[in-house]
């Protein structure tokens, strides 16, 4: 068996791993890099492509296969959200680039080739998917072939969140020959989640007391619904005062409807509610000029590159009463939010905008941190562990903690490991 890291080696973005045996060849994920939409070419001719979850850094490159009738495997919600995100990507990219090679029908073709399964048999190979936490529909993949067991984590999360159960590591295959694990936070230990949520509410209350506006840039899929639910519940329980709270993202709104119709992906508490993502104190708006200030606004894009979050960042940055709350730990090097946070200013269309608003980063992440990753290695006892989906510092940080339990590889892009 040969494992080739086609993308997502020593970095986040463009995840794709090939697993090849004498009889068949599968790809684990087929993602784009955040800053490149169509230039990342992976091999094709796979017997199946398993998509771990709907984030485009794991699924966005599927468009390049739309004419080749690939077999794509993943959960139902991953299929629905991937197709919605691909259509949105096509819309945005073709506005910026007249030569963009893909259209809406290419995204629809992906839907037609998708098998919604948790179990697949290929020549000499069986594949099983396991809930991974992280986002709705996310799966880990275990492959059994040539008497060897491989487990790929995709992005995963062990702790429960407000709306999703964490990954049950006890249900995963023990002593795999190879564990291919994400290492996004491999070098980092986070505070317990309840402390982070308390801190998040404290920051919101501070800004509310100043009568400030609070911008919460977030991703349309899952994080937006999780955030709206968190704030809606907190207002209901009296943990937060009443305030104007809005979501602005048509894509997020569409995904919210889908979540209401597919409650079975979520925690038992969510499943018991009739319309869990229909909020009492959070209102959906279509445009930023509908906002009644002061307000809390949950909007896209998550990195502040475009959309309502860029517009509000520009409008609200210079007022020290306002607050910008970042809940993702990772910010790409070229993102306006990263320069706002690190340099206290950002550039937009040639103008330099000074940031006087408070910027706080509270990592309410859907990824395992170092403690959770180490614990998983302790439980599963893999012979070898390949670390992907993390900067080299994060992967090395994790490697130091687990190298006495398992043989660790931190491959480069294009590297093949024979087992
Ligand atoms: Zn992800």
């Amino acid at each position: 068996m040969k494992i080739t890291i086609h993308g997502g080696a020593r970095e986040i973005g463009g995840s794709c791993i090939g697993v090849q045996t004498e009889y068949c060849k599968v790809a684990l994920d087929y993602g784009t890099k955040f800053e490149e939409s169509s230039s990342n070419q992976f091999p094709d001719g796979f017997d199946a492509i398993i998509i771990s979850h709907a984030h485009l850094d794991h699924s966005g490159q599927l468009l390049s296969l739309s004419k080749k009738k690939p077999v794509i495997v993943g959960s139902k919600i991953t299929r629905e959200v991937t197709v919605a995100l691909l259509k949105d990507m096509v819309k945005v990219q073709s506005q910026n680039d007249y030569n963009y090679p893909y259209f809406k029908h290419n995204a629809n073709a992906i839907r037609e080739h998708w098998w919604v399964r948790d179990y697949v048999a290929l020549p000499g190979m069986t594949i099983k998917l396991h809930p991974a936490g992280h986002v709705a529909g996310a799966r880990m993949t275990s492959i059994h072939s040539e008497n060897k067991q491989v487990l790929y984590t995709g992005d995963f999360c062990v702790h429960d969140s407000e709306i999703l159960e964490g990954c049950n590591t006890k249900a995963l295959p023990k002593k795999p020959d190879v564990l291919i694990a994400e290492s996004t936070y491999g070098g980092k230990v986070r505070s317990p989640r309840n402390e982070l949520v308390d801190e998040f509410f404290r920051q919101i209350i501070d800004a509310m007391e100043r009568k400030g506006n609070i911008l919460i840039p977030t991703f349309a899929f899952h994080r937006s619904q999780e955030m709206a639910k968190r704030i809606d519940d907190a207002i209901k329980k009296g943990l937060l005062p009443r305030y104007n709270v809005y979501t602005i993202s048509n894509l997020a709104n569409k995904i919210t409807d889908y979540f209401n119709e597919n409650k079975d992906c979520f925690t038992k508490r969510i499943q018991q509610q009739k319309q869990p993502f229909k909020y009492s104190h959070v209102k959906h708006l279509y445009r930023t000029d509908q906002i009644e200030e002061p307000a809390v606004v949950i909007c896209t894009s998550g990195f502040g590159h475009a959309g309502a979050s860029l517009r509000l960042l520009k409008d609200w940055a210079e007022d020290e009463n306002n607050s910008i709350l970042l809940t993702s730990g990772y910010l790409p090097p070229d993102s306006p939010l990263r320069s706002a946070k690190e340099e206290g200013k950002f550039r937009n269309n040639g103008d330099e905008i000074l940031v006087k608003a408070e910027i706080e980063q509270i990592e309410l992440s859907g990824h395992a941190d170092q403690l959770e990753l180490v614990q998983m290695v302790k439980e599963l006892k893999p012979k070898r562990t390949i670390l992907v989906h993390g900067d080299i510092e994060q992967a090395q940080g994790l490697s130091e903690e687990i190298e006495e339990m398992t043989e660790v590889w931190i491959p480069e892009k294009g590297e093949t490991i024979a087992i």
Side-chain angles (χ1 to χ4, degrees), residues 397-419:
L398 176 58
S399 176
E400 283 165 23
E401 298 297 314
I402 59 173
E403 62 197 4
E404 283 176 13
M405 297 184 271
T406 176
E407 188 186 321
V408 184
W409 297 71
I410 308 174
E412 287 181 55
K413 186 174 170 172
E415 212 172 313
T416 297
I417 297 165
I419 57 155

PDB file of all heavy atoms in Angstrom, residues 397-419:
ATOM      1  N   GLY A 397       5.275  20.325  17.103  1.00  0.00           N
ATOM      2  CA  GLY A 397       4.858  20.411  18.509  1.00  0.00           C
ATOM      3  C   GLY A 397       4.136  19.139  18.926  1.00  0.00           C
ATOM      4  O   GLY A 397       4.363  18.599  20.018  1.00  0.00           O
ATOM      5  N   LEU A 398       3.290  18.638  18.052  1.00  0.00           N
ATOM      6  CA  LEU A 398       2.551  17.404  18.353  1.00  0.00           C
ATOM      7  C   LEU A 398       3.486  16.199  18.297  1.00  0.00           C
ATOM      8  O   LEU A 398       3.438  15.316  19.162  1.00  0.00           O
ATOM      9  CB  LEU A 398       1.394  17.229  17.347  1.00  0.00           C
ATOM     10  CG  LEU A 398       0.575  15.958  17.462  1.00  0.00           C
ATOM     11  CD1 LEU A 398      -0.045  15.820  18.852  1.00  0.00           C
ATOM     12  CD2 LEU A 398      -0.531  15.946  16.403  1.00  0.00           C
ATOM     13  N   SER A 399       4.363  16.204  17.295  1.00  0.00           N
ATOM     14  CA  SER A 399       5.296  15.090  17.126  1.00  0.00           C
ATOM     15  C   SER A 399       6.097  14.847  18.412  1.00  0.00           C
ATOM     16  O   SER A 399       6.259  13.714  18.859  1.00  0.00           O
ATOM     17  CB  SER A 399       6.228  15.402  15.948  1.00  0.00           C
ATOM     18  OG  SER A 399       7.180  14.408  15.835  1.00  0.00           O
ATOM     19  N   GLU A 400       6.578  15.937  19.028  1.00  0.00           N
ATOM     20  CA  GLU A 400       7.368  15.794  20.260  1.00  0.00           C
ATOM     21  C   GLU A 400       6.580  15.108  21.378  1.00  0.00           C
ATOM     22  O   GLU A 400       7.142  14.389  22.188  1.00  0.00           O
ATOM     23  CB  GLU A 400       7.814  17.183  20.758  1.00  0.00           C
ATOM     24  CG  GLU A 400       8.980  17.725  19.956  1.00  0.00           C
ATOM     25  CD  GLU A 400       9.197  19.218  20.177  1.00  0.00           C
ATOM     26  OE1 GLU A 400       8.764  19.730  21.241  1.00  0.00           O
ATOM     27  OE2 GLU A 400       9.783  19.852  19.277  1.00  0.00           O
ATOM     28  N   GLU A 401       5.285  15.303  21.381  1.00  0.00           N
ATOM     29  CA  GLU A 401       4.450  14.723  22.443  1.00  0.00           C
ATOM     30  C   GLU A 401       4.090  13.257  22.200  1.00  0.00           C
ATOM     31  O   GLU A 401       3.709  12.556  23.118  1.00  0.00           O
ATOM     32  CB  GLU A 401       3.139  15.516  22.591  1.00  0.00           C
ATOM     33  CG  GLU A 401       3.314  16.964  22.995  1.00  0.00           C
ATOM     34  CD  GLU A 401       3.961  17.117  24.377  1.00  0.00           C
ATOM     35  OE1 GLU A 401       3.532  16.414  25.298  1.00  0.00           O
ATOM     36  OE2 GLU A 401       4.897  17.936  24.487  1.00  0.00           O
ATOM     37  N   ILE A 402       4.146  12.823  20.932  1.00  0.00           N
ATOM     38  CA  ILE A 402       3.653  11.457  20.644  1.00  0.00           C
ATOM     39  C   ILE A 402       4.734  10.508  20.125  1.00  0.00           C
ATOM     40  O   ILE A 402       4.484   9.319  19.964  1.00  0.00           O
ATOM     41  CB  ILE A 402       2.470  11.473  19.621  1.00  0.00           C
ATOM     42  CG1 ILE A 402       2.883  12.129  18.296  1.00  0.00           C
ATOM     43  CG2 ILE A 402       1.246  12.146  20.209  1.00  0.00           C
ATOM     44  CD1 ILE A 402       1.830  12.032  17.194  1.00  0.00           C
ATOM     45  N   GLU A 403       5.958  11.022  19.892  1.00  0.00           N
ATOM     46  CA  GLU A 403       6.934  10.178  19.190  1.00  0.00           C
ATOM     47  C   GLU A 403       7.391   8.960  19.994  1.00  0.00           C
ATOM     48  O   GLU A 403       7.942   8.028  19.416  1.00  0.00           O
ATOM     49  CB  GLU A 403       8.123  11.007  18.674  1.00  0.00           C
ATOM     50  CG  GLU A 403       8.931  11.682  19.735  1.00  0.00           C
ATOM     51  CD  GLU A 403       9.809  12.802  19.171  1.00  0.00           C
ATOM     52  OE1 GLU A 403       9.731  13.088  17.966  1.00  0.00           O
ATOM     53  OE2 GLU A 403      10.566  13.373  19.958  1.00  0.00           O
ATOM     54  N   GLU A 404       7.133   8.944  21.296  1.00  0.00           N
ATOM     55  CA  GLU A 404       7.492   7.735  22.049  1.00  0.00           C
ATOM     56  C   GLU A 404       6.418   6.664  21.936  1.00  0.00           C
ATOM     57  O   GLU A 404       6.646   5.500  22.240  1.00  0.00           O
ATOM     58  CB  GLU A 404       7.744   8.088  23.515  1.00  0.00           C
ATOM     59  CG  GLU A 404       9.108   8.729  23.664  1.00  0.00           C
ATOM     60  CD  GLU A 404       9.409   9.203  25.067  1.00  0.00           C
ATOM     61  OE1 GLU A 404       8.673   8.813  25.990  1.00  0.00           O
ATOM     62  OE2 GLU A 404      10.382   9.963  25.208  1.00  0.00           O
ATOM     63  N   MET A 405       5.233   7.050  21.448  1.00  0.00           N
ATOM     64  CA  MET A 405       4.130   6.080  21.349  1.00  0.00           C
ATOM     65  C   MET A 405       3.956   5.541  19.935  1.00  0.00           C
ATOM     66  O   MET A 405       3.363   4.495  19.724  1.00  0.00           O
ATOM     67  CB  MET A 405       2.815   6.752  21.770  1.00  0.00           C
ATOM     68  CG  MET A 405       2.794   7.214  23.194  1.00  0.00           C
ATOM     69  SD  MET A 405       1.168   7.873  23.605  1.00  0.00           S
ATOM     70  CE  MET A 405       1.355   9.577  23.159  1.00  0.00           C
ATOM     71  N   THR A 406       4.422   6.305  18.932  1.00  0.00           N
ATOM     72  CA  THR A 406       4.135   5.949  17.543  1.00  0.00           C
ATOM     73  C   THR A 406       5.231   6.527  16.654  1.00  0.00           C
ATOM     74  O   THR A 406       5.876   7.512  17.020  1.00  0.00           O
ATOM     75  CB  THR A 406       2.740   6.509  17.142  1.00  0.00           C
ATOM     76  OG1 THR A 406       2.493   6.252  15.777  1.00  0.00           O
ATOM     77  CG2 THR A 406       2.629   8.006  17.363  1.00  0.00           C
ATOM     78  N   GLU A 407       5.450   5.896  15.507  1.00  0.00           N
ATOM     79  CA  GLU A 407       6.455   6.418  14.573  1.00  0.00           C
ATOM     80  C   GLU A 407       5.820   7.597  13.823  1.00  0.00           C
ATOM     81  O   GLU A 407       4.762   7.444  13.223  1.00  0.00           O
ATOM     82  CB  GLU A 407       6.791   5.278  13.602  1.00  0.00           C
ATOM     83  CG  GLU A 407       7.929   5.532  12.671  1.00  0.00           C
ATOM     84  CD  GLU A 407       8.050   4.364  11.676  1.00  0.00           C
ATOM     85  OE1 GLU A 407       7.865   3.191  12.098  1.00  0.00           O
ATOM     86  OE2 GLU A 407       8.271   4.632  10.501  1.00  0.00           O
ATOM     87  N   VAL A 408       6.424   8.777  13.879  1.00  0.00           N
ATOM     88  CA  VAL A 408       5.759   9.971  13.329  1.00  0.00           C
ATOM     89  C   VAL A 408       6.390  10.414  12.008  1.00  0.00           C
ATOM     90  O   VAL A 408       7.613  10.462  11.873  1.00  0.00           O
ATOM     91  CB  VAL A 408       5.823  11.155  14.333  1.00  0.00           C
ATOM     92  CG1 VAL A 408       5.040  12.347  13.795  1.00  0.00           C
ATOM     93  CG2 VAL A 408       5.289  10.751  15.693  1.00  0.00           C
ATOM     94  N   TRP A 409       5.553  10.729  11.043  1.00  0.00           N
ATOM     95  CA  TRP A 409       5.992  11.288   9.761  1.00  0.00           C
ATOM     96  C   TRP A 409       5.327  12.650   9.582  1.00  0.00           C
ATOM     97  O   TRP A 409       4.129  12.786   9.811  1.00  0.00           O
ATOM     98  CB  TRP A 409       5.533  10.412   8.594  1.00  0.00           C
ATOM     99  CG  TRP A 409       6.090   9.035   8.578  1.00  0.00           C
ATOM    100  CD1 TRP A 409       5.776   8.013   9.424  1.00  0.00           C
ATOM    101  CD2 TRP A 409       7.050   8.511   7.656  1.00  0.00           C
ATOM    102  NE1 TRP A 409       6.473   6.886   9.080  1.00  0.00           N
ATOM    103  CE2 TRP A 409       7.269   7.161   7.997  1.00  0.00           C
ATOM    104  CE3 TRP A 409       7.740   9.047   6.565  1.00  0.00           C
ATOM    105  CZ2 TRP A 409       8.140   6.342   7.291  1.00  0.00           C
ATOM    106  CZ3 TRP A 409       8.605   8.227   5.862  1.00  0.00           C
ATOM    107  CH2 TRP A 409       8.813   6.900   6.227  1.00  0.00           C
ATOM    108  N   ILE A 410       6.116  13.624   9.131  1.00  0.00           N
ATOM    109  CA  ILE A 410       5.539  14.926   8.742  1.00  0.00           C
ATOM    110  C   ILE A 410       5.931  15.124   7.277  1.00  0.00           C
ATOM    111  O   ILE A 410       6.936  15.771   6.974  1.00  0.00           O
ATOM    112  CB  ILE A 410       6.050  16.079   9.630  1.00  0.00           C
ATOM    113  CG1 ILE A 410       5.860  15.741  11.119  1.00  0.00           C
ATOM    114  CG2 ILE A 410       5.333  17.382   9.277  1.00  0.00           C
ATOM    115  CD1 ILE A 410       6.463  16.750  12.081  1.00  0.00           C
ATOM    116  N   PRO A 411       5.191  14.515   6.356  1.00  0.00           N
ATOM    117  CA  PRO A 411       5.634  14.496   4.955  1.00  0.00           C
ATOM    118  C   PRO A 411       5.530  15.866   4.281  1.00  0.00           C
ATOM    119  O   PRO A 411       4.791  16.742   4.740  1.00  0.00           O
ATOM    120  CB  PRO A 411       4.657  13.519   4.305  1.00  0.00           C
ATOM    121  CG  PRO A 411       3.458  13.523   5.174  1.00  0.00           C
ATOM    122  CD  PRO A 411       3.922  13.825   6.560  1.00  0.00           C
ATOM    123  N   GLU A 412       6.292  15.990   3.186  1.00  0.00           N
ATOM    124  CA  GLU A 412       6.159  17.176   2.338  1.00  0.00           C
ATOM    125  C   GLU A 412       5.149  16.871   1.255  1.00  0.00           C
ATOM    126  O   GLU A 412       4.838  15.713   0.981  1.00  0.00           O
ATOM    127  CB  GLU A 412       7.512  17.485   1.693  1.00  0.00           C
ATOM    128  CG  GLU A 412       8.506  18.056   2.668  1.00  0.00           C
ATOM    129  CD  GLU A 412       9.826  18.364   1.993  1.00  0.00           C
ATOM    130  OE1 GLU A 412       9.817  19.104   0.984  1.00  0.00           O
ATOM    131  OE2 GLU A 412      10.845  17.853   2.463  1.00  0.00           O
ATOM    132  N   LYS A 413       4.690  17.924   0.598  1.00  0.00           N
ATOM    133  CA  LYS A 413       3.737  17.750  -0.497  1.00  0.00           C
ATOM    134  C   LYS A 413       4.350  16.864  -1.588  1.00  0.00           C
ATOM    135  O   LYS A 413       5.494  17.072  -1.986  1.00  0.00           O
ATOM    136  CB  LYS A 413       3.377  19.126  -1.068  1.00  0.00           C
ATOM    137  CG  LYS A 413       2.288  19.066  -2.105  1.00  0.00           C
ATOM    138  CD  LYS A 413       1.877  20.450  -2.534  1.00  0.00           C
ATOM    139  CE  LYS A 413       0.964  20.302  -3.751  1.00  0.00           C
ATOM    140  NZ  LYS A 413       0.362  21.532  -4.156  1.00  0.00           N
ATOM    141  N   GLY A 414       3.603  15.892  -2.042  1.00  0.00           N
ATOM    142  CA  GLY A 414       4.072  15.011  -3.112  1.00  0.00           C
ATOM    143  C   GLY A 414       4.791  13.761  -2.611  1.00  0.00           C
ATOM    144  O   GLY A 414       5.075  12.851  -3.375  1.00  0.00           O
ATOM    145  N   GLU A 415       5.100  13.720  -1.312  1.00  0.00           N
ATOM    146  CA  GLU A 415       5.830  12.571  -0.765  1.00  0.00           C
ATOM    147  C   GLU A 415       4.941  11.311  -0.715  1.00  0.00           C
ATOM    148  O   GLU A 415       3.749  11.400  -0.404  1.00  0.00           O
ATOM    149  CB  GLU A 415       6.288  12.926   0.657  1.00  0.00           C
ATOM    150  CG  GLU A 415       7.587  12.272   1.046  1.00  0.00           C
ATOM    151  CD  GLU A 415       8.102  12.805   2.391  1.00  0.00           C
ATOM    152  OE1 GLU A 415       8.119  14.034   2.601  1.00  0.00           O
ATOM    153  OE2 GLU A 415       8.476  11.939   3.213  1.00  0.00           O
ATOM    154  N   THR A 416       5.551  10.153  -1.035  1.00  0.00           N
ATOM    155  CA  THR A 416       4.837   8.893  -0.952  1.00  0.00           C
ATOM    156  C   THR A 416       5.438   8.027   0.150  1.00  0.00           C
ATOM    157  O   THR A 416       6.657   7.935   0.262  1.00  0.00           O
ATOM    158  CB  THR A 416       4.908   8.131  -2.292  1.00  0.00           C
ATOM    159  OG1 THR A 416       4.239   8.929  -3.286  1.00  0.00           O
ATOM    160  CG2 THR A 416       4.239   6.765  -2.219  1.00  0.00           C
ATOM    161  N   ILE A 417       4.569   7.443   0.956  1.00  0.00           N
ATOM    162  CA  ILE A 417       5.046   6.568   2.040  1.00  0.00           C
ATOM    163  C   ILE A 417       4.511   5.162   1.740  1.00  0.00           C
ATOM    164  O   ILE A 417       3.311   4.971   1.562  1.00  0.00           O
ATOM    165  CB  ILE A 417       4.507   7.072   3.396  1.00  0.00           C
ATOM    166  CG1 ILE A 417       5.083   8.480   3.668  1.00  0.00           C
ATOM    167  CG2 ILE A 417       4.880   6.116   4.531  1.00  0.00           C
ATOM    168  CD1 ILE A 417       4.378   9.236   4.754  1.00  0.00           C
ATOM    169  N   ALA A 418       5.428   4.205   1.626  1.00  0.00           N
ATOM    170  CA  ALA A 418       5.007   2.820   1.367  1.00  0.00           C
ATOM    171  C   ALA A 418       4.901   2.093   2.697  1.00  0.00           C
ATOM    172  O   ALA A 418       5.779   2.204   3.552  1.00  0.00           O
ATOM    173  CB  ALA A 418       6.033   2.154   0.470  1.00  0.00           C
ATOM    174  N   ILE A 419       3.803   1.349   2.895  1.00  0.00           N
ATOM    175  CA  ILE A 419       3.681   0.611   4.157  1.00  0.00           C
ATOM    176  C   ILE A 419       3.359  -0.859   3.852  1.00  0.00           C
ATOM    177  O   ILE A 419       2.839  -1.193   2.810  1.00  0.00           O
ATOM    178  CB  ILE A 419       2.599   1.200   5.093  1.00  0.00           C
ATOM    179  CG1 ILE A 419       1.221   1.250   4.414  1.00  0.00           C
ATOM    180  CG2 ILE A 419       3.013   2.574   5.554  1.00  0.00           C
ATOM    181  CD1 ILE A 419       0.102   1.241   5.399  1.00  0.00           C
TER     182      ILE A 419
END
